Amino acid sequence: MTLETIVGMLAFGALTSLMIFFFTLVGSLPLGLLVSFGRMSKIAPIRWLVRFYISIMRGTPLILQLFVVYFGPFLLFGLQMGQDYRITATLIAFILNYAAYFGEIYRSGIESIPRGQHEAAAVLGYTRSQTFIRIIFPQVLKRIIPPMTNEIITLVKDTALAFTLGVAEMFTQARAIVSSQGNLIAFLIAGIFYYAFNALVAFIMERVEKAFAYYHE
């Protein structure tokens, strides 16, 4: 197998990894905000339910959650989901898992804002939604960017777990090539990809953090 062939196969796997990464962020970031609201809800059953969900997502391995989401429909309800369900199950598990972590990051940011800002906004005639969108959330974003960056970098590496469901992402392709060729070139190229992608993510998040630097405390 030539180097060009190896790179081509890994490039196909990289596109799948990027797809998992992108759709996980698109799904988990807004869902995480809803989770944070549920976690802070004044309605006790909602608060308890969300706390239980977060506890399960953070207390069990992501690889186990992948298996539960993939095999659950058949083992619990006898549903045959088909081969295409592999990528769907992967995205569902990733989104649910990362929404729990993002939810706690959002919550910590929201609760770090002094209560006096809410009261001052109310005096000025702001509604609760206006207060959150215009005053609270921009400050929350600034505070949560560093932990968010850590989670997003972890997500880049966690995409490799999709191999457990037979999804042909980059690590799956690299492992298959190494097994057939008997050398580590594919792993080396995959490692460079993950490293470069994480470096890009870190750079982008650093720029975002600087964009919010006008919120000095």
Side-chain angles (χ1 to χ4, degrees):
M1 185 180 296
T2 65
L3 180 61
E4 290 77 8
T5 303
I6 293 175
V7 171
M9 293 177 63
L10 291 178
F12 176 79
L15 289 176
T16 303
S17 296
L18 290 173
M19 183 270 292
I20 295 172
F21 172 82
F22 175 77
F23 282 107
T24 298
L25 282 186
V26 169
S28 62
L29 286 174
L31 180 58
L33 190 58
L34 293 178
V35 168
S36 69
F37 292 152
R39 179 72 170 78
M40 297 181 293
S41 175
K42 295 181 180 179
I43 302 174
I46 294 178
R47 188 171 64 250
W48 296 337
L49 181 62
V50 173
R51 288 184 65 178
F52 178 71
Y53 156 72
I54 293 173
S55 177
I56 292 296
M57 292 296 106
R58 297 199 304 176
T60 59
L62 176 54
I63 191 171
L64 175 61
Q65 296 163 24
L66 284 164
F67 284 135
V68 169
V69 174
Y70 181 66
F71 293 109
F74 176 75
L75 295 178
L76 295 176
F77 308 108
L79 299 176
Q80 296 283 356
M81 304 303 293
Q83 292 296 318
D84 292 340
Y85 183 62
R86 293 178 186 273
I87 189 65
T88 302
T90 298
L91 294 176
I92 291 173
F94 269 76
I95 289 171
L96 291 177
N97 180 275
Y98 273 86
Y101 286 93
F102 288 146
E104 285 295 83
I105 293 174
Y106 282 129
R107 182 181 65 84
S108 65
I110 293 170
E111 292 183 344
S112 70
I113 305 299
R115 185 63 189 173
Q117 295 197 26
H118 295 267
E119 297 168 353
V123 171
L124 293 173
Y126 283 86
T127 65
R128 293 184 62 182
S129 60
Q130 289 174 330
T131 299
F132 181 78
I133 294 172
R134 298 181 182 181
I135 299 174
I136 304 302
F137 195 59
Q139 298 179 73
V140 169
L141 284 179
K142 176 183 179 293
R143 299 185 182 200
I144 67 175
I145 286 173
M148 279 288 191
T149 300
N150 290 336
E151 287 301 320
I152 293 172
I153 287 175
T154 299
L155 172 59
V156 173
K157 295 178 288 186
D158 276 352
T159 57
L161 291 176
F163 88 93
T164 59
L165 299 186
V167 176
E169 45 68 58
M170 171 161 277
F171 180 75
T172 303
Q173 298 283 32
R175 191 181 60 153
I177 294 170
V178 169
S179 297
S180 63
Q181 297 298 301
N183 62 63
L184 297 177
I185 293 177
F187 279 160
L188 176 61
I189 296 173
I192 292 173
F193 164 79
Y194 288 119
Y195 180 81
F197 190 30
N198 272 328
L200 177 61
V201 168
F203 173 78
I204 293 173
M205 295 304 290
E206 182 179 347
R207 301 298 295 179
V208 172
E209 188 172 0
K210 287 182 179 180
F212 284 90
Y214 54 84
Y215 286 104
H216 294 295
E217 299 175 3

